[in-house]
């Protein structure tokens, strides 16, 4: 009880002391030093270094009057105030206010403020200064944080940022300016959409064409020859840089009258569908009206195509062929438009050679090419008549077990993912010291064949082995160009890896490996969610023991150990290669021409290139 009374008495004494302290002192005993009054920018007696910022959002000639009026007006405003000294008029012409990108005058003005060259900035309105809330408030605060602070005076709003009460009003006004830009952007997009729906397209300047009084494209004969030369050279196997160097050397000029060409400008010409008479509207779009960054239109917005909109310089087939060549250039393809080659006879009859650097062929192309070779000699394995000789064992009902159910180390195999392919060491040994091979596909039989290839000029060869310590070891074959097509052909899952065992066939010095792509094991990604129990003592052990993939087999293997004995021994991958008369394993493929594309022939390309170059040289000399 006594302790409680003592504690209460102490608290009351503390409160009494606080009350006594806050009674204050006699005002006569205190000297007050007054703060300097906030200067009125229009009535100050000291000299202020003033900058003016002017901006118009487009470079349309009709906006020039607005641009000049802003500059002249503020020149007069500064001249009327004797205490203002004009430092500089900073002006951005044809630049949007929603982003600081390309606003070089604005950036220089801020830098000059930081360097202590400016005391005050004059501008017409908040929307002239910035149409982006973040930029507007951010830069105003940055300028006020300088020592001495730099203010901004917005004439239309009569708002001075040196006034501490101005920020709330400024935030509201900059929000309105930004929303005004948003509204204008939506109106413009709607207007463009309506134009495109009615077939009214934009026609910017384009090499090979001039515009008539109605804005329609008309062929410029001199420039059209340059366009043809560009397309012909690319179809003939020249790179964009080689074409650019040639045009520069010939003295040809770009549409902008430049004498030096770049590979980028050549690529743009090659990809412009207007050269074949078509128009494709809205190839790009702008997701954000604030940063104005365009993106490729991957069906994010409606696109509109008008065929035969104007007279073509290049045939449509040549244009399509060029687009295929461009899309496959990243895989190292530099030749003429490739053709599918199908083996016409022998054990590999109906097989298609795989072009490792061409992604233009699709499953239907492989099937059509293979079916173009009649295969009257082959018979499906499940309908082959089987004859037994006297004394033979009746093996009906017996199965030949799948090799995947046994130890596969040291066996011929191939492992495929969506982007690369690798053969086993045992597969390499069957071909001796051969480092390069050719891949072939039979689409209807689901067979992959591998045969040696030592010809230097064979564009379809791939390197499947490399030397390590004097010994050939397997090497990954990167097949981003063709493996996705094979996955689609076989009906495989792109997220999985597949492994298949192969069979080697040999006759004399000729070898071939055959893989049945129906007989695969598959590695399926094991998507096991990670545990959320941070205190689990077995967490690390569980994570390390969880396999990354799950091994799977075809569903039809579920109720059997393998294939019927007679079906297996008469399978396509075995019978065709044990028949001596049908061997011919080195048969070259014959071209299978795609009927839908009729591109300019090699001879005509060469002739056209020579003629155009000679004509350009003659005109230059004249």
């Amino acid at each position: 009880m006594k302790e409680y009374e003592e504690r209460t008495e102490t608290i009351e004494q503390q409160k009494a002391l606080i009350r006594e302290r806050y009674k204050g002192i006699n005002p006569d005993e205190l000297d007050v030093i007054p703060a300097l009054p906030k200067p009125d920018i229009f009535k100050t007696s000291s000299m202020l270094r003033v900058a003016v910022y002017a901006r118009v959002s487009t470079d349309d000639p009709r906006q020039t009057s607005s641009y000049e009026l802003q500059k002249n007006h503020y020149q007069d405003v500064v001249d009327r105030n004797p205490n203002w000294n004009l430092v500089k008029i900073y002006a951005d012409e044809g630049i949007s206010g929603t982003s600081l990108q390309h606003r070089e005058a604005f950036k220089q003005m801020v830098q000059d403020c930081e360097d202590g060259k400016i005391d005050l900035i004059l501008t017409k309105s908040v929307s002239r200064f910035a149409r982006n809330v973040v930029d507007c408030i951010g830069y105003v605060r940055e300028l006020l944080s300088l020592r001495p602070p730099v203010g901004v005076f917005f004439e239309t709003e009569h708002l001075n940022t040196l006034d501490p009460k101005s920020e709330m009003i400024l935030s509201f006004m900059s929000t309105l300016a930004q929303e005004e830009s948003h509204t204008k952007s939506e109106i413009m997009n709607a207007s463009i959409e309506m134009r495109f729906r009615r077939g009214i397209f934009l026609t910017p300047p384009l090499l090979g064409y001039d515009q008539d009084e109605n804005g329609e494209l008309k062929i410029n004969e001199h420039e059209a020859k340059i366009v043809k030369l560009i397309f012909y050279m690319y179809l003939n196997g020249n790179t964009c840089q080689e074409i650019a160097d040639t045009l520069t050397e010939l003295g040809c000029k770009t549409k902008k009258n430049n004498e030096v060409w770049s590979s980028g400008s050549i690529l743009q010409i090659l990809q412009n569908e207007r050269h074949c008479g078509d128009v494709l509207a809205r190839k790009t779009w702008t997701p954000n009206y604030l940063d104005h960054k365009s993106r490729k239109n991957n069906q994010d917005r409606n696109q509109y195509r008008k065929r035969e909109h104007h007279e073509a310089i290049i045939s449509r087939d040549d244009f399509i062929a060029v687009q295929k060549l461009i899309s496959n250039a990243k895989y190292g393809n530099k030749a003429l438009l490739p053709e599918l080659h199908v083996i016409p006879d022998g054990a590999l009859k109906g097989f298609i050679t795989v072009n490792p650097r061409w992604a233009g062929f699709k499953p239907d192309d492989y099937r059509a090419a293979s079916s173009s070779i009649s295969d009257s000699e082959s018979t499906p394995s499940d309908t082959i008549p089987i004859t037994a000789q006297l004394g033979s064992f009746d093996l009906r009902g017996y199965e030949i077990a799948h090799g995947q159910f046994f130890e596969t180390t040291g066996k011929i195999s191939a492992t495929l993912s969506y982007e690369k392919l690798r053969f086993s060491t045992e597969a390499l040994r069957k071909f001796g010291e051969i480092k390069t091979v050719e891949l072939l596909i039979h689409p209807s039989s689901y067979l992959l064949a591998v045969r040696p290839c030592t010809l230097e000029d064979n564009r379809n060869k791939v390197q499947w082995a490399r030397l390590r310590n004097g010994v050939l070891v397997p090497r990954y074959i990167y097949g981003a160009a063709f493996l996705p097509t094979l996955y689609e052909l076989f009906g495989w899952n792109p997220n999985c890896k597949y492994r298949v065992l192969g069979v080697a066939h040999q006759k004399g010095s000729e070898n071939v490996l055959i893989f049945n792509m129906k007989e695969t094991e598959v590695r399926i990604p094991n998507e096991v969610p990670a545990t959320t129990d941070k205190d689990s003592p077995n967490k690390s052990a569980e994570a390390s023991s969880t396999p990354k993939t799950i091994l799977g087999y075809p569903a039809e293997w579920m109720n059997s150990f393998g294939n019927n004995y007679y079906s297996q021994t008469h399978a396509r991958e075995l019978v065709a290669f044990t028949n001596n008369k049908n061997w011919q394993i080195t048969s070259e493929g014959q071209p299978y021409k795609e009927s839908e594309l009729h591109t300019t022939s090699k001879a005509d390309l060469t002739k056209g290139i020579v003629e155009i170059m000679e004509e350009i040289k003659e005109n230059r000399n004249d």
Side-chain angles (χ1 to χ4, degrees):
M1 184 70 178
K2 183 178 180 181
E3 292 178 357
Y4 174 76
E5 292 176 352
E6 291 178 351
R7 186 167 63 254
T8 302
E9 183 179 353
T10 301
I11 292 173
E12 290 299 324
Q13 290 175 351
Q14 292 176 351
K15 290 181 178 181
L17 290 173
I18 292 172
R19 294 189 188 100
E20 185 66 26
R21 186 183 308 125
Y22 278 87
K23 286 181 180 179
I25 63 174
N26 188 342
D28 296 334
E29 300 176 359
L30 187 66
D31 294 331
V32 178
I33 304 173
L36 294 174
K38 296 293 182 182
D40 187 329
I41 60 174
F42 293 101
K43 298 180 180 179
T44 180
S45 58
S46 59
M47 294 296 296
L48 292 181
R49 296 165 296 177
V50 178
V52 173
Y53 180 71
R55 180 187 64 80
V56 291
S57 56
T58 72
D59 56 3
D60 190 314
R62 291 170 294 183
Q63 290 266 16
T64 303
S65 58
S66 172
Y67 177 73
E68 292 299 325
L69 281 173
Q70 288 184 63
K71 293 200 300 181
N72 295 337
H73 167 72
Y74 286 108
Q75 179 71 60
D76 295 340
V77 170
V78 173
D79 291 343
R80 285 197 299 268
N81 196 316
N83 294 322
W84 285 4
N85 179 33
L86 180 63
V87 175
K88 184 178 178 181
I89 296 178
Y90 299 85
D92 284 314
E93 187 174 9
I95 306 296
S96 172
T98 55
S99 171
L100 289 177
Q101 188 177 15
H102 306 307
R103 293 177 67 185
E104 302 303 328
F106 184 92
K107 295 176 184 178
Q108 183 60 51
M109 179 180 67
V110 173
Q111 183 61 52
D112 289 345
C113 290
E114 294 175 351
D115 294 340
K117 300 178 180 178
I118 299 171
D119 299 317
L120 178 69
I121 297 172
L122 295 182
T123 189
K124 180 180 179 182
S125 65
V126 173
S127 63
R128 295 297 92 190
F129 189 75
R131 285 186 178 272
N132 184 312
V133 175
V134 175
D135 288 343
C136 185
I137 301 299
Y139 274 96
V140 165
R141 287 177 176 175
E142 181 179 332
L143 295 172
L144 289 176
S145 67
L146 299 175
R147 290 294 176 264
V150 177
V152 182
F153 181 73
F154 303 99
E155 184 185 32
T156 302
E157 294 84 6
H158 202 75
L159 189 65
N160 178 15
T161 61
L162 292 173
D163 184 351
K165 299 177 182 178
S166 66
E167 184 165 314
M168 185 184 73
I169 301 174
L170 181 61
S171 300
F172 179 70
M173 299 306 297
S174 59
T175 301
L176 289 179
Q178 177 175 308
E179 186 57 30
E180 183 183 357
S181 290
H182 187 195
T183 302
K184 288 181 178 179
S185 175
E186 292 296 321
I187 292 173
M188 183 177 295
N189 286 333
S191 174
I192 291 174
E193 179 75 15
M194 288 187 286
R195 287 170 59 92
F196 289 165
R197 282 186 180 276
R198 287 161 177 77
I200 304 173
F201 302 106
L202 303 174
T203 53
L206 179 66
L207 185 71
Y209 292 96
D210 294 326
Q211 291 178 311
D212 61 16
E213 61 278 4
N214 297 320
E216 299 295 332
L217 294 175
K218 301 297 180 182
I219 288 183
N220 179 314
E221 294 298 337
H222 173 68
E223 293 180 355
K225 289 183 174 65
I226 300 176
V227 172
K228 285 185 179 180
L229 180 60
I230 292 172
F231 274 84
Y232 284 0
M233 289 184 68
Y234 196 82
L235 283 170
N236 200 39
N238 295 96
T239 65
C240 290
Q241 188 59 56
E242 290 171 345
I243 298 172
D245 293 341
T246 299
L247 294 180
T248 301
E249 184 179 347
L250 289 172
C252 300
K253 292 186 178 181
T254 68
K255 193 66 176 178
K256 295 182 179 180
N257 213 33
N258 295 326
E259 295 181 351
V260 179
W261 295 73
S262 67
S263 59
S265 63
I266 297 297
L267 182 61
Q268 288 181 347
I269 292 170
L270 291 170
Q271 291 179 317
N272 197 317
E273 77 291 337
R274 283 178 166 83
H275 290 119
C276 72
D278 296 348
V279 174
L280 177 62
R282 194 177 277 145
K283 287 180 280 191
T284 61
W285 69 298
T286 305
N288 192 335
Y289 71 97
L290 293 176
D291 60 19
H292 305 285
K293 292 182 179 179
S294 61
R295 300 286 188 274
K296 183 178 180 181
N297 187 1
N298 294 315
Q299 294 185 310
D300 300 290
R301 293 291 186 272
N302 294 335
Q303 287 185 307
Y304 300 90
R305 180 188 295 277
K306 176 67 172 67
R307 295 181 180 272
E308 300 179 2
H309 175 266
H310 52 272
E311 188 178 355
I313 297 175
I314 301 298
S315 72
R316 183 172 284 105
D317 285 354
D318 279 353
F319 180 79
I320 294 172
V322 165
Q323 305 320 301
K324 289 187 176 183
L325 286 170
I326 291 172
S327 66
N328 285 274
K330 59 184 175 181
Y331 303 120
N333 186 74
K334 298 180 182 179
L336 283 169
L337 190 66
E339 297 174 327
L340 286 174
H341 285 73
V342 57
I343 307 299
D345 48 30
L348 293 176
K349 184 175 182 178
F351 276 76
I352 312 298
T353 54
V354 175
N355 188 313
R357 286 169 291 277
W358 185 255
F361 298 130
K362 302 305 177 187
D364 286 343
D365 298 323
Y366 281 100
R367 295 188 187 101
S370 181
S371 62
S372 68
I373 301 297
S374 61
D375 198 11
S376 58
E377 297 180 6
S378 64
T379 307
S381 57
D382 56 354
T383 62
I384 293 176
I386 301 172
T387 59
Q389 297 181 356
L390 184 64
S392 298
F393 288 102
D394 185 356
L395 297 176
R396 286 175 294 182
Y398 287 86
E399 296 176 342
I400 297 179
H402 297 295
Q404 288 85 349
F405 293 160
F406 302 94
E407 177 60 47
T408 58
T409 304
K411 291 189 176 182
I412 299 171
S413 66
T415 303
L416 300 90
S417 69
Y418 202 62
E419 294 183 346
K420 56 187 178 181
L421 161 66
R422 187 178 185 182
F423 293 93
S424 65
T425 302
E426 184 60 27
L428 270 61
R429 289 174 181 168
K430 297 299 181 181
F431 288 179
E433 299 299 318
I434 300 296
K435 293 183 182 179
T436 55
V437 295
E438 190 176 32
L439 307 178
L440 303 98
I441 286 291
H442 197 292
S444 60
S445 298
Y446 284 66
L447 297 178
L448 168 67
V450 183
R451 64 182 182 182
C453 180
T454 56
L455 298 175
E456 291 296 328
D457 59 348
N458 190 326
R459 297 183 180 275
N460 294 335
K461 69 178 180 181
V462 293
Q463 185 178 346
W464 76 335
R466 61 184 177 89
L467 278 175
R468 187 172 64 187
N469 299 327
V471 179
L472 281 182
V473 295
R475 176 183 181 274
Y476 278 114
I477 299 171
Y478 290 92
F482 69 92
L483 283 173
T485 300
L486 298 190
Y487 262 65
E488 185 180 354
L489 180 64
F490 301 141
W492 290 353
N493 186 333
N495 298 316
C496 298
K497 287 185 177 181
Y498 293 83
R499 184 169 176 268
V500 57
L501 298 181
V503 179
H505 297 279
Q506 182 177 6
K507 181 182 179 183
S509 60
E510 298 179 352
N511 297 275
V512 66
L513 303 180
I514 301 296
F515 299 85
N516 186 344
M517 309 310 278
K518 290 182 178 180
E519 302 276 326
T520 61
E521 62 182 30
V522 56
R523 289 284 178 178
I524 307 168
N526 188 10
E527 300 178 357
V528 179
T531 177
T532 56
D533 187 2
K534 297 182 179 179
D535 300 326
S536 174
N538 298 322
K539 179 181 178 182
S540 59
E542 292 172 0
S544 61
S545 62
T546 302
K548 294 182 179 180
T549 59
I550 300 172
L551 182 62
Y553 297 101
E556 53 267 24
W557 291 11
M558 184 169 56
N559 298 318
S560 65
F561 289 103
N563 295 323
N564 176 276
Y565 173 80
Y566 291 108
S567 297
Q568 177 70 21
T569 56
H570 288 74
R572 171 76 165 82
E573 65 268 29
L574 297 176
V575 173
F577 299 93
T578 56
N579 189 336
N580 290 336
K581 69 175 183 178
N582 286 332
W583 183 259
Q584 301 179 38
I585 210 67
T586 58
S587 295
E588 293 295 326
Q590 66 181 29
Y592 170 73
K593 184 74 174 179
E594 291 185 343
S595 58
E596 62 269 19
L597 279 185
H598 300 283
T599 58
T600 304
S601 67
K602 173 72 172 179
D604 289 341
L605 287 175
T606 304
K607 180 180 178 182
I609 292 171
V610 172
E611 289 179 351
I612 294 173
M613 291 179 67
E614 289 297 329
E615 187 173 344
I616 291 175
K617 290 178 181 178
E618 289 177 3
N619 293 335
R620 182 180 63 182
N621 294 332
D622 293 341

